[in-house]
Amino acid sequence: EHDGWVLPYAPFVSPPLKTMPVIGAALQELGLSVTIQRATRPHRPDLQLVFDNHRVDLHAHPDRRRAELVREFGGSGARVGDQLAAISTQHEQSDGFLKQFDDLPPDGPLSMWRARREVKKRPELQLAPALSADNAAADLIRRMLPFLTWLEDADTPLARTRPLSQVLRSPSRLPGGHEGLRDLIVKKLVDLGGDVLSSDTTDSYVVEELAFDGARLVGVQVLGSTNIYRGSGVIAATDAGALRRLVGDKKRHRALVEMLDLVRTRKFLYSVNWVVPADVLPRGMGELVLVDTGDDLGTLLVQLHGVRRTTGEEDRLMRVVCAGAFVPASVRELGEPKLHALKKQIEVHLDRLMPFVRQHLVLSSAPYLDAGGVRGSRLLPHPLLEINVERFAGVTGLSPRTPIRNLFLASREVFPGLGLEGELLAGVRAARMLDQQLNKKSPLRR
């Protein structure tokens, strides 16, 4: 919230639900599939590429997309169109693997052996179409990948092509972006009888510490309360840095701390929001735009959103222009002047993209600077991570199983190479592992 407006933390592109069959099945079991499908909206056009001397509207339909690339780039554009048509079906070829092999990330030597055997039987996981190296459009599309995953370097065909393939099918948006999806899931949890601690329900809703009885995890303690919320198991759907801060006796639980220390944030998506009247936006500007900045910012992703007031109603006469670029994590240590300079640098590119709009500007806000003055992982809605573990198929990270027997991870750091799909897969995997553990116990001995 800023000056009466509710603003996005960062641009957020979601793949269509039909491109994530495992997640679709889980959401259908929860009764959420139809709700999310109705809330999801395509961009118009699906994706727009902007250079100094070119503007390309990339439609989801392969023939229209190829024709647009040929118009702008001639023969090399035709080759890129053919390559994009091949890449946009790659997720279908790996669907079978994710549906059949649900033991990911591999948990132990036997599981790893089974996983590797399965990969050898599937050449589509080892070979994938590549984009031309000599075409500006292909280069810019390739640079969209970091906006779709949490991994700094995607080094395998599955990591390079599956998230991009899903989004090329139809890059979608949700009201409220990533937080909007979270709100839909939390609302369903409440409808199903679950309890949610939030600022809307209680003053004590922030987890302060993991509660242990000796070496055994018994629950969580919340800030400002003496109560311990107890459970047979705990699933932590939060970043490693945030979870590490909840471990009080780090010496006693050194194995858990060392596991969490394997994660490093190398870059994060720094964003700027402009609230402007809808009628002053350039007519030819798309709702999802990749901009080649030509400077050290690299690639700028710009997304148009509807806008809400803090009172709850939607203002149909206004739009939020949310622009984000990846910056080194080290800029957080350089102080406010550097962060303000980054904001101005992004705004220079917005001026070039949307001439004459600044004079109608209602609000300019950088969430990292303006979200209540809070610093930390809560204001890193899209980090690019380095995880020092052996990856499987280039997409896995931390194991969902931790050194604490009844603590499981369901964070984006479990499947960082699969982006949103990986974040949701981590939740499915952690829930399955906890269920298996609880069912192994005798009910009389719990």
Side-chain angles (χ1 to χ4, degrees), residues 25 138 160 201 224 230 237-238 242 252 285 340 407 433 440:
R160 287 195 304 268
T201 59
R230 295 179 177 271
T238 190
R252 183 167 193 171
M285 180 176 168
H340 281 287
L407 174 65
M433 294 175 79
K440 287 180 180 179

Side-chain angles (χ1 to χ4, degrees), residues 42-48 58-61 168-171 288:
H43 298 88
R44 294 288 180 261
D46 294 275
L47 178 62
Q48 188 173 78
L58 288 185
H59 303 278
H61 193 281
L168 287 174
R169 179 60 60 91
S170 178
L288 184 67

Side-chain angles (χ1 to χ4, degrees), residues 202-208 221-227:
T202 177
D203 292 333
S204 302
Y205 63 92
V206 177
V207 177
E208 181 180 25
Q221 174 118 30
V222 297
L223 189 66
S225 172
T226 58
N227 294 332

Side-chain angles (χ1 to χ4, degrees), residues 115-181:
R116 286 175 174 163
R117 185 184 63 175
E118 191 66 29
V119 168
K120 288 180 180 179
K121 294 190 297 185
R122 297 178 178 270
E124 69 274 10
L125 300 180
Q126 304 170 56
L127 299 171
L131 284 166
S132 297
D134 59 348
N135 182 276
D139 179 60
L140 190 54
I141 293 168
R142 191 184 298 110
R143 283 190 266 155
M144 188 178 182
L145 184 60
F147 293 96
L148 308 179
T149 75
W150 319 117
L151 203 56
E152 185 186 26
D153 58 321
D155 56 359
T156 65
L158 183 62
R160 287 195 304 268
T161 59
R162 183 172 176 84
L164 192 58
S165 170
Q166 292 168 324
V167 166
L168 287 174
R169 179 60 60 91
S170 178
S172 304
R173 58 181 174 172
L174 284 159
H178 194 276
E179 291 298 307
L181 176 60

Side-chain angles (χ1 to χ4, degrees), residues 198-260:
S198 70
S199 57
D200 297 327
T201 59
T202 177
D203 292 333
S204 302
Y205 63 92
V206 177
V207 177
E208 181 180 25
E209 192 173 2
L210 295 175
F212 289 89
D213 181 5
R216 180 172 170 267
L217 178 64
V218 296
V220 295
Q221 174 118 30
V222 297
L223 189 66
S225 172
T226 58
N227 294 332
I228 293 177
Y229 290 85
R230 295 179 177 271
S232 299
V234 173
I235 294 177
T238 190
D239 291 343
L243 184 59
R244 189 185 191 280
R245 290 192 291 271
L246 304 182
V247 182
D249 190 346
K250 292 180 173 55
K251 189 172 183 180
R252 183 167 193 171
H253 304 292
R254 185 175 59 184
L256 173 61
V257 171
E258 289 176 349
M259 175 184 178
L260 300 176

Side-chain angles (χ1 to χ4, degrees), residues 7 11 33 53 58 73 81 93 106 130 136 167 191 212 234 241 249 278 302 307 310 323 390 398 426 437:
L7 306 174
S33 181
N53 301 314
L58 288 185
F73 296 102
Q93 299 180 41
V167 166
D191 291 344
F212 289 89
V234 173
D249 190 346
V302 181
V307 61
T310 51
E390 181 184 1
L398 296 181
Q437 183 185 87

Side-chain angles (χ1 to χ4, degrees), residues 362-396:
V362 176
L363 175 70
S364 174
S365 173
Y368 195 89
L369 292 169
D370 301 327
V374 181
R375 295 289 185 267
S377 61
R378 283 176 294 175
L379 286 180
L380 296 181
H382 196 129
L384 288 183
L385 306 170
E386 176 189 342
I387 305 180
N388 295 316
V389 297
E390 181 184 1
R391 294 184 202 155
F392 176 76
V395 299
T396 64

